[in-house]
Amino acid sequence: MSDMALPPRAVTKPLSLRGSVSFLIGVAATVWLVYLVYRLLVGGYANGEVFSLRASSAAWRDGDWLSQLLLFFVRFLPGEATQQLVLSFLAATLTGGLLGPQYHAMRSNRWTVPGAAIVVLILAVHPLVLYTVTAATLPIPIYVAFALLIPAIRRVAAVGDVQSEVTLGLTLPLLLLAGPETAPLILPLTVLCAASNRDARHDVRAFLAMFIVAVVPSLVIVVGIVGFSLRAGHDLGTVLARYATVFTSMHPERWASGLLPLALASPMALVPLLYCLIPDRRREAWSALAVVGFPVYLAMGQAAFAWQLPYWTPATALLFCFAAWLTVTRLHWMMRLAGVLLMIPSVWLGFRYGGIIDDPAWLDGVLGPGLVWLRSLLPALL
C-alpha cells in the first residue's frame, strides 16, 4: 500500500515518532559531550588553543575569521576560565545537537533504526570527534564548511537549477571564513557549480549567469573583510598577506607523505569511492568524490606547505564529510553495512595514532580515577 492510500495519521505518526527519537538522540549526545567537557574543566585540563587565539589578535592575522568573530563576543566575559568554559560548551552543544538531525536524515534515506543508531554512537564516541570538541577546536570551522558543502554539491549535481546554485553560493563563503587554507577551493567549486547546469554547458551567457550567482556571496564577504580591516585600522597588506604566505615554501616531494594522516579514517573512504564505480541512475558521483577530495586537499596542502593545522585535521575532515554524505545519499543495504563496519576501525586507528593516547592529561580528565583500569588496558590493546 502506498503512502497516498494510507490515512493521514498513519503517515504522520511514524514521522512524528522519528522526530521525537531524533530530538532525544541530540539531547543525549549533547549531554554526553557536555559531561566530558565538564570533567576536563573540573580536572584542570586547559585548552591551549583557546588561549593562543587571544594573543595579539592572532585570529585575524591568520585569517580565522569565524574564530575571531566568536572571540569578539566571548572577550566580554570575565576571566579566561569563563571564556574557555563557554567556548568548550558551545562546541559540545553544537556537535551533540547535530547528531540528532544526523539520525533523522539517515532514517529518511532508508537506514534501519539499528544502523543509524550505531553510526551516531560511533560518531559520539569517536576519538577524533571527542578530541576536536574538547581539545582541538580551531579547525572546527573547516569541518563545518566541508560538511555543509557535501549536501549542497549533491543538490547541484542532481538538480542543477538556480535555487541549488544559490544554496551552494551561500555555502562557499564558509571556505573563506574558515581560513586561508580552504579559500582557494572557492573558484574551482564555483566553476564546477556553473558548469553543472545543462544550459550553461551550451551557452556562454548562461554559464556566466550561473557563475555570477554562485560567486557573488563570496565577493560580498571579501568586500566585508576589506572594509572591516580598514575600519578597524588594520594594515590591509598584513591581513591579505596571510592568504599568500600560506602557499609559500612549497615542498612537492612531501605530497605523498601528506596522505599518511588520512590513515586515521581511511577505511570509510572506500565506501564513497566504491559508490562512484557502481552503476546507478540515482548516483551522484561529485558529492562522493568531494567526501574524499576535501580531506586529500588538506593532507597534501599540509604536507607541501607546512600549514599550521593539527596533523589529524584531514582525518577528522574525512569523518565529518562522510557523516554529512550519509545524510543525503541513499545506499544499498550492503553499502550501508560496509560503511558501518569500516567506521569501526577508524575508532581504533584514532586512538592508536591520533595523538590522544599521548595526552595523559586529557585521558585523566575523560576517564577519571574510576576508570584507571581502562587506561592501563589501552596501551596493551592499542
Side-chain angles (χ1 to χ4, degrees), residues 140-156:
I140 286 181
I142 296 178
Y143 308 147
V144 172
F146 284 168
L148 292 178
L149 278 171
I150 298 300
I153 292 174
R154 180 173 178 81
R155 179 171 176 79
V156 167

mmCIF file with all atom_site columns, all heavy atoms in Angstrom, residues 140-156:
data_model
loop_
_atom_site.group_PDB
_atom_site.id
_atom_site.type_symbol
_atom_site.label_atom_id
_atom_site.label_alt_id
_atom_site.label_comp_id
_atom_site.label_asym_id
_atom_site.label_entity_id
_atom_site.label_seq_id
_atom_site.pdbx_PDB_ins_code
_atom_site.Cartn_x
_atom_site.Cartn_y
_atom_site.Cartn_z
_atom_site.occupancy
_atom_site.B_iso_or_equiv
_atom_site.pdbx_formal_charge
_atom_site.auth_seq_id
_atom_site.auth_comp_id
_atom_site.auth_asym_id
_atom_site.auth_atom_id
_atom_site.pdbx_PDB_model_num
ATOM 1   N N   . ILE A 1 140 ? 37.497 23.484 13.674 1.00 0.00 ? 140 ILE A N   1
ATOM 2   C CA  . ILE A 1 140 ? 36.065 23.190 13.571 1.00 0.00 ? 140 ILE A CA  1
ATOM 3   C C   . ILE A 1 140 ? 35.398 23.938 12.419 1.00 0.00 ? 140 ILE A C   1
ATOM 4   O O   . ILE A 1 140 ? 34.572 23.356 11.702 1.00 0.00 ? 140 ILE A O   1
ATOM 5   C CB  . ILE A 1 140 ? 35.361 23.471 14.910 1.00 0.00 ? 140 ILE A CB  1
ATOM 6   C CG1 . ILE A 1 140 ? 35.699 22.372 15.918 1.00 0.00 ? 140 ILE A CG1 1
ATOM 7   C CG2 . ILE A 1 140 ? 33.850 23.556 14.739 1.00 0.00 ? 140 ILE A CG2 1
ATOM 8   C CD1 . ILE A 1 140 ? 35.046 22.537 17.269 1.00 0.00 ? 140 ILE A CD1 1
ATOM 9   N N   . PRO A 1 141 ? 35.695 25.238 12.171 1.00 0.00 ? 141 PRO A N   1
ATOM 10  C CA  . PRO A 1 141 ? 35.075 25.899 11.012 1.00 0.00 ? 141 PRO A CA  1
ATOM 11  C C   . PRO A 1 141 ? 35.366 25.200 9.689  1.00 0.00 ? 141 PRO A C   1
ATOM 12  O O   . PRO A 1 141 ? 34.515 25.198 8.790  1.00 0.00 ? 141 PRO A O   1
ATOM 13  C CB  . PRO A 1 141 ? 35.673 27.308 11.049 1.00 0.00 ? 141 PRO A CB  1
ATOM 14  C CG  . PRO A 1 141 ? 36.003 27.542 12.488 1.00 0.00 ? 141 PRO A CG  1
ATOM 15  C CD  . PRO A 1 141 ? 36.444 26.203 13.001 1.00 0.00 ? 141 PRO A CD  1
ATOM 16  N N   . ILE A 1 142 ? 36.535 24.600 9.548  1.00 0.00 ? 142 ILE A N   1
ATOM 17  C CA  . ILE A 1 142 ? 36.854 23.858 8.322  1.00 0.00 ? 142 ILE A CA  1
ATOM 18  C C   . ILE A 1 142 ? 35.958 22.637 8.199  1.00 0.00 ? 142 ILE A C   1
ATOM 19  O O   . ILE A 1 142 ? 35.399 22.350 7.130  1.00 0.00 ? 142 ILE A O   1
ATOM 20  C CB  . ILE A 1 142 ? 38.337 23.451 8.309  1.00 0.00 ? 142 ILE A CB  1
ATOM 21  C CG1 . ILE A 1 142 ? 39.227 24.694 8.273  1.00 0.00 ? 142 ILE A CG1 1
ATOM 22  C CG2 . ILE A 1 142 ? 38.638 22.545 7.124  1.00 0.00 ? 142 ILE A CG2 1
ATOM 23  C CD1 . ILE A 1 142 ? 40.710 24.387 8.302  1.00 0.00 ? 142 ILE A CD1 1
ATOM 24  N N   . TYR A 1 143 ? 35.791 21.906 9.294  1.00 0.00 ? 143 TYR A N   1
ATOM 25  C CA  . TYR A 1 143 ? 34.941 20.720 9.268  1.00 0.00 ? 143 TYR A CA  1
ATOM 26  C C   . TYR A 1 143 ? 33.494 21.085 8.936  1.00 0.00 ? 143 TYR A C   1
ATOM 27  O O   . TYR A 1 143 ? 32.834 20.406 8.143  1.00 0.00 ? 143 TYR A O   1
ATOM 28  C CB  . TYR A 1 143 ? 34.988 19.993 10.608 1.00 0.00 ? 143 TYR A CB  1
ATOM 29  C CG  . TYR A 1 143 ? 36.366 19.680 11.113 1.00 0.00 ? 143 TYR A CG  1
ATOM 30  C CD1 . TYR A 1 143 ? 36.656 19.672 12.479 1.00 0.00 ? 143 TYR A CD1 1
ATOM 31  C CD2 . TYR A 1 143 ? 37.417 19.401 10.236 1.00 0.00 ? 143 TYR A CD2 1
ATOM 32  C CE1 . TYR A 1 143 ? 37.923 19.377 12.958 1.00 0.00 ? 143 TYR A CE1 1
ATOM 33  C CE2 . TYR A 1 143 ? 38.693 19.114 10.706 1.00 0.00 ? 143 TYR A CE2 1
ATOM 34  C CZ  . TYR A 1 143 ? 38.935 19.109 12.063 1.00 0.00 ? 143 TYR A CZ  1
ATOM 35  O OH  . TYR A 1 143 ? 40.198 18.832 12.539 1.00 0.00 ? 143 TYR A OH  1
ATOM 36  N N   . VAL A 1 144 ? 33.005 22.156 9.543  1.00 0.00 ? 144 VAL A N   1
ATOM 37  C CA  . VAL A 1 144 ? 31.620 22.572 9.310  1.00 0.00 ? 144 VAL A CA  1
ATOM 38  C C   . VAL A 1 144 ? 31.428 23.004 7.856  1.00 0.00 ? 144 VAL A C   1
ATOM 39  O O   . VAL A 1 144 ? 30.427 22.664 7.219  1.00 0.00 ? 144 VAL A O   1
ATOM 40  C CB  . VAL A 1 144 ? 31.243 23.716 10.276 1.00 0.00 ? 144 VAL A CB  1
ATOM 41  C CG1 . VAL A 1 144 ? 29.881 24.290 9.931  1.00 0.00 ? 144 VAL A CG1 1
ATOM 42  C CG2 . VAL A 1 144 ? 31.246 23.215 11.717 1.00 0.00 ? 144 VAL A CG2 1
ATOM 43  N N   . ALA A 1 145 ? 32.396 23.750 7.312  1.00 0.00 ? 145 ALA A N   1
ATOM 44  C CA  . ALA A 1 145 ? 32.295 24.191 5.919  1.00 0.00 ? 145 ALA A CA  1
ATOM 45  C C   . ALA A 1 145 ? 32.250 23.002 4.968  1.00 0.00 ? 145 ALA A C   1
ATOM 46  O O   . ALA A 1 145 ? 31.405 22.943 4.064  1.00 0.00 ? 145 ALA A O   1
ATOM 47  C CB  . ALA A 1 145 ? 33.477 25.106 5.581  1.00 0.00 ? 145 ALA A CB  1
ATOM 48  N N   . PHE A 1 146 ? 33.132 22.041 5.168  1.00 0.00 ? 146 PHE A N   1
ATOM 49  C CA  . PHE A 1 146 ? 33.143 20.860 4.301  1.00 0.00 ? 146 PHE A CA  1
ATOM 50  C C   . PHE A 1 146 ? 31.855 20.056 4.442  1.00 0.00 ? 146 PHE A C   1
ATOM 51  O O   . PHE A 1 146 ? 31.288 19.586 3.441  1.00 0.00 ? 146 PHE A O   1
ATOM 52  C CB  . PHE A 1 146 ? 34.349 19.980 4.643  1.00 0.00 ? 146 PHE A CB  1
ATOM 53  C CG  . PHE A 1 146 ? 35.660 20.499 4.127  1.00 0.00 ? 146 PHE A CG  1
ATOM 54  C CD1 . PHE A 1 146 ? 36.852 19.957 4.559  1.00 0.00 ? 146 PHE A CD1 1
ATOM 55  C CD2 . PHE A 1 146 ? 35.704 21.550 3.224  1.00 0.00 ? 146 PHE A CD2 1
ATOM 56  C CE1 . PHE A 1 146 ? 38.072 20.430 4.085  1.00 0.00 ? 146 PHE A CE1 1
ATOM 57  C CE2 . PHE A 1 146 ? 36.910 22.036 2.745  1.00 0.00 ? 146 PHE A CE2 1
ATOM 58  C CZ  . PHE A 1 146 ? 38.094 21.469 3.178  1.00 0.00 ? 146 PHE A CZ  1
ATOM 59  N N   . ALA A 1 147 ? 31.396 19.880 5.680  1.00 0.00 ? 147 ALA A N   1
ATOM 60  C CA  . ALA A 1 147 ? 30.189 19.085 5.907  1.00 0.00 ? 147 ALA A CA  1
ATOM 61  C C   . ALA A 1 147 ? 28.962 19.723 5.268  1.00 0.00 ? 147 ALA A C   1
ATOM 62  O O   . ALA A 1 147 ? 28.082 19.020 4.748  1.00 0.00 ? 147 ALA A O   1
ATOM 63  C CB  . ALA A 1 147 ? 29.966 18.901 7.408  1.00 0.00 ? 147 ALA A CB  1
ATOM 64  N N   . LEU A 1 148 ? 28.868 21.043 5.275  1.00 0.00 ? 148 LEU A N   1
ATOM 65  C CA  . LEU A 1 148 ? 27.730 21.721 4.659  1.00 0.00 ? 148 LEU A CA  1
ATOM 66  C C   . LEU A 1 148 ? 27.831 21.748 3.142  1.00 0.00 ? 148 LEU A C   1
ATOM 67  O O   . LEU A 1 148 ? 26.809 21.819 2.446  1.00 0.00 ? 148 LEU A O   1
ATOM 68  C CB  . LEU A 1 148 ? 27.619 23.150 5.197  1.00 0.00 ? 148 LEU A CB  1
ATOM 69  C CG  . LEU A 1 148 ? 27.236 23.293 6.675  1.00 0.00 ? 148 LEU A CG  1
ATOM 70  C CD1 . LEU A 1 148 ? 27.220 24.756 7.081  1.00 0.00 ? 148 LEU A CD1 1
ATOM 71  C CD2 . LEU A 1 148 ? 25.878 22.650 6.947  1.00 0.00 ? 148 LEU A CD2 1
ATOM 72  N N   . LEU A 1 149 ? 29.044 21.683 2.625  1.00 0.00 ? 149 LEU A N   1
ATOM 73  C CA  . LEU A 1 149 ? 29.212 21.705 1.173  1.00 0.00 ? 149 LEU A CA  1
ATOM 74  C C   . LEU A 1 149 ? 28.801 20.388 0.524  1.00 0.00 ? 149 LEU A C   1
ATOM 75  O O   . LEU A 1 149 ? 28.377 20.377 -0.640 1.00 0.00 ? 149 LEU A O   1
ATOM 76  C CB  . LEU A 1 149 ? 30.670 22.013 0.820  1.00 0.00 ? 149 LEU A CB  1
ATOM 77  C CG  . LEU A 1 149 ? 31.068 23.487 0.832  1.00 0.00 ? 149 LEU A CG  1
ATOM 78  C CD1 . LEU A 1 149 ? 32.573 23.638 0.689  1.00 0.00 ? 149 LEU A CD1 1
ATOM 79  C CD2 . LEU A 1 149 ? 30.357 24.235 -0.291 1.00 0.00 ? 149 LEU A CD2 1
ATOM 80  N N   . ILE A 1 150 ? 28.929 19.273 1.238  1.00 0.00 ? 150 ILE A N   1
ATOM 81  C CA  . ILE A 1 150 ? 28.593 17.978 0.652  1.00 0.00 ? 150 ILE A CA  1
ATOM 82  C C   . ILE A 1 150 ? 27.127 17.928 0.201  1.00 0.00 ? 150 ILE A C   1
ATOM 83  O O   . ILE A 1 150 ? 26.847 17.577 -0.959 1.00 0.00 ? 150 ILE A O   1
ATOM 84  C CB  . ILE A 1 150 ? 28.906 16.839 1.638  1.00 0.00 ? 150 ILE A CB  1
ATOM 85  C CG1 . ILE A 1 150 ? 30.411 16.804 1.964  1.00 0.00 ? 150 ILE A CG1 1
ATOM 86  C CG2 . ILE A 1 150 ? 28.453 15.507 1.073  1.00 0.00 ? 150 ILE A CG2 1
ATOM 87  C CD1 . ILE A 1 150 ? 31.308 16.591 0.775  1.00 0.00 ? 150 ILE A CD1 1
ATOM 88  N N   . PRO A 1 151 ? 26.132 18.260 1.056  1.00 0.00 ? 151 PRO A N   1
ATOM 89  C CA  . PRO A 1 151 ? 24.741 18.259 0.564  1.00 0.00 ? 151 PRO A CA  1
ATOM 90  C C   . PRO A 1 151 ? 24.502 19.287 -0.533 1.00 0.00 ? 151 PRO A C   1
ATOM 91  O O   . PRO A 1 151 ? 23.712 19.024 -1.452 1.00 0.00 ? 151 PRO A O   1
ATOM 92  C CB  . PRO A 1 151 ? 23.928 18.596 1.831  1.00 0.00 ? 151 PRO A CB  1
ATOM 93  C CG  . PRO A 1 151 ? 24.821 18.271 2.975  1.00 0.00 ? 151 PRO A CG  1
ATOM 94  C CD  . PRO A 1 151 ? 26.205 18.546 2.500  1.00 0.00 ? 151 PRO A CD  1
ATOM 95  N N   . ALA A 1 152 ? 25.163 20.445 -0.445 1.00 0.00 ? 152 ALA A N   1
ATOM 96  C CA  . ALA A 1 152 ? 24.968 21.476 -1.471 1.00 0.00 ? 152 ALA A CA  1
ATOM 97  C C   . ALA A 1 152 ? 25.492 21.002 -2.825 1.00 0.00 ? 152 ALA A C   1
ATOM 98  O O   . ALA A 1 152 ? 24.854 21.218 -3.862 1.00 0.00 ? 152 ALA A O   1
ATOM 99  C CB  . ALA A 1 152 ? 25.670 22.769 -1.047 1.00 0.00 ? 152 ALA A CB  1
ATOM 100 N N   . ILE A 1 153 ? 26.653 20.347 -2.832 1.00 0.00 ? 153 ILE A N   1
ATOM 101 C CA  . ILE A 1 153 ? 27.206 19.824 -4.085 1.00 0.00 ? 153 ILE A CA  1
ATOM 102 C C   . ILE A 1 153 ? 26.306 18.736 -4.658 1.00 0.00 ? 153 ILE A C   1
ATOM 103 O O   . ILE A 1 153 ? 26.079 18.674 -5.874 1.00 0.00 ? 153 ILE A O   1
ATOM 104 C CB  . ILE A 1 153 ? 28.636 19.291 -3.850 1.00 0.00 ? 153 ILE A CB  1
ATOM 105 C CG1 . ILE A 1 153 ? 29.585 20.446 -3.533 1.00 0.00 ? 153 ILE A CG1 1
ATOM 106 C CG2 . ILE A 1 153 ? 29.139 18.523 -5.060 1.00 0.00 ? 153 ILE A CG2 1
ATOM 107 C CD1 . ILE A 1 153 ? 30.979 20.009 -3.143 1.00 0.00 ? 153 ILE A CD1 1
ATOM 108 N N   . ARG A 1 154 ? 25.789 17.894 -3.808 1.00 0.00 ? 154 ARG A N   1
ATOM 109 C CA  . ARG A 1 154 ? 24.907 16.825 -4.287 1.00 0.00 ? 154 ARG A CA  1
ATOM 110 C C   . ARG A 1 154 ? 23.647 17.405 -4.912 1.00 0.00 ? 154 ARG A C   1
ATOM 111 O O   . ARG A 1 154 ? 23.184 16.919 -5.955 1.00 0.00 ? 154 ARG A O   1
ATOM 112 C CB  . ARG A 1 154 ? 24.552 15.876 -3.145 1.00 0.00 ? 154 ARG A CB  1
ATOM 113 C CG  . ARG A 1 154 ? 23.629 14.751 -3.594 1.00 0.00 ? 154 ARG A CG  1
ATOM 114 C CD  . ARG A 1 154 ? 23.411 13.715 -2.521 1.00 0.00 ? 154 ARG A CD  1
ATOM 115 N NE  . ARG A 1 154 ? 22.482 12.691 -2.986 1.00 0.00 ? 154 ARG A NE  1
ATOM 116 C CZ  . ARG A 1 154 ? 22.824 11.667 -3.760 1.00 0.00 ? 154 ARG A CZ  1
ATOM 117 N NH1 . ARG A 1 154 ? 24.073 11.521 -4.143 1.00 0.00 ? 154 ARG A NH1 1
ATOM 118 N NH2 . ARG A 1 154 ? 21.926 10.788 -4.146 1.00 0.00 ? 154 ARG A NH2 1
ATOM 119 N N   . ARG A 1 155 ? 23.084 18.427 -4.303 1.00 0.00 ? 155 ARG A N   1
ATOM 120 C CA  . ARG A 1 155 ? 21.861 19.017 -4.853 1.00 0.00 ? 155 ARG A CA  1
ATOM 121 C C   . ARG A 1 155 ? 22.139 19.687 -6.196 1.00 0.00 ? 155 ARG A C   1
ATOM 122 O O   . ARG A 1 155 ? 21.331 19.603 -7.121 1.00 0.00 ? 155 ARG A O   1
ATOM 123 C CB  . ARG A 1 155 ? 21.275 20.016 -3.859 1.00 0.00 ? 155 ARG A CB  1
ATOM 124 C CG  . ARG A 1 155 ? 20.010 20.686 -4.379 1.00 0.00 ? 155 ARG A CG  1
ATOM 125 C CD  . ARG A 1 155 ? 19.302 21.497 -3.322 1.00 0.00 ? 155 ARG A CD  1
ATOM 126 N NE  . ARG A 1 155 ? 18.153 22.205 -3.860 1.00 0.00 ? 155 ARG A NE  1
ATOM 127 C CZ  . ARG A 1 155 ? 16.968 21.652 -4.094 1.00 0.00 ? 155 ARG A CZ  1
ATOM 128 N NH1 . ARG A 1 155 ? 16.788 20.371 -3.824 1.00 0.00 ? 155 ARG A NH1 1
ATOM 129 N NH2 . ARG A 1 155 ? 15.977 22.353 -4.585 1.00 0.00 ? 155 ARG A NH2 1
ATOM 130 N N   . VAL A 1 156 ? 23.275 20.366 -6.307 1.00 0.00 ? 156 VAL A N   1
ATOM 131 C CA  . VAL A 1 156 ? 23.618 20.995 -7.578 1.00 0.00 ? 156 VAL A CA  1
ATOM 132 C C   . VAL A 1 156 ? 23.786 19.945 -8.667 1.00 0.00 ? 156 VAL A C   1
ATOM 133 O O   . VAL A 1 156 ? 23.333 20.115 -9.805 1.00 0.00 ? 156 VAL A O   1
ATOM 134 C CB  . VAL A 1 156 ? 24.897 21.839 -7.434 1.00 0.00 ? 156 VAL A CB  1
ATOM 135 C CG1 . VAL A 1 156 ? 25.457 22.233 -8.792 1.00 0.00 ? 156 VAL A CG1 1
ATOM 136 C CG2 . VAL A 1 156 ? 24.613 23.089 -6.615 1.00 0.00 ? 156 VAL A CG2 1
#
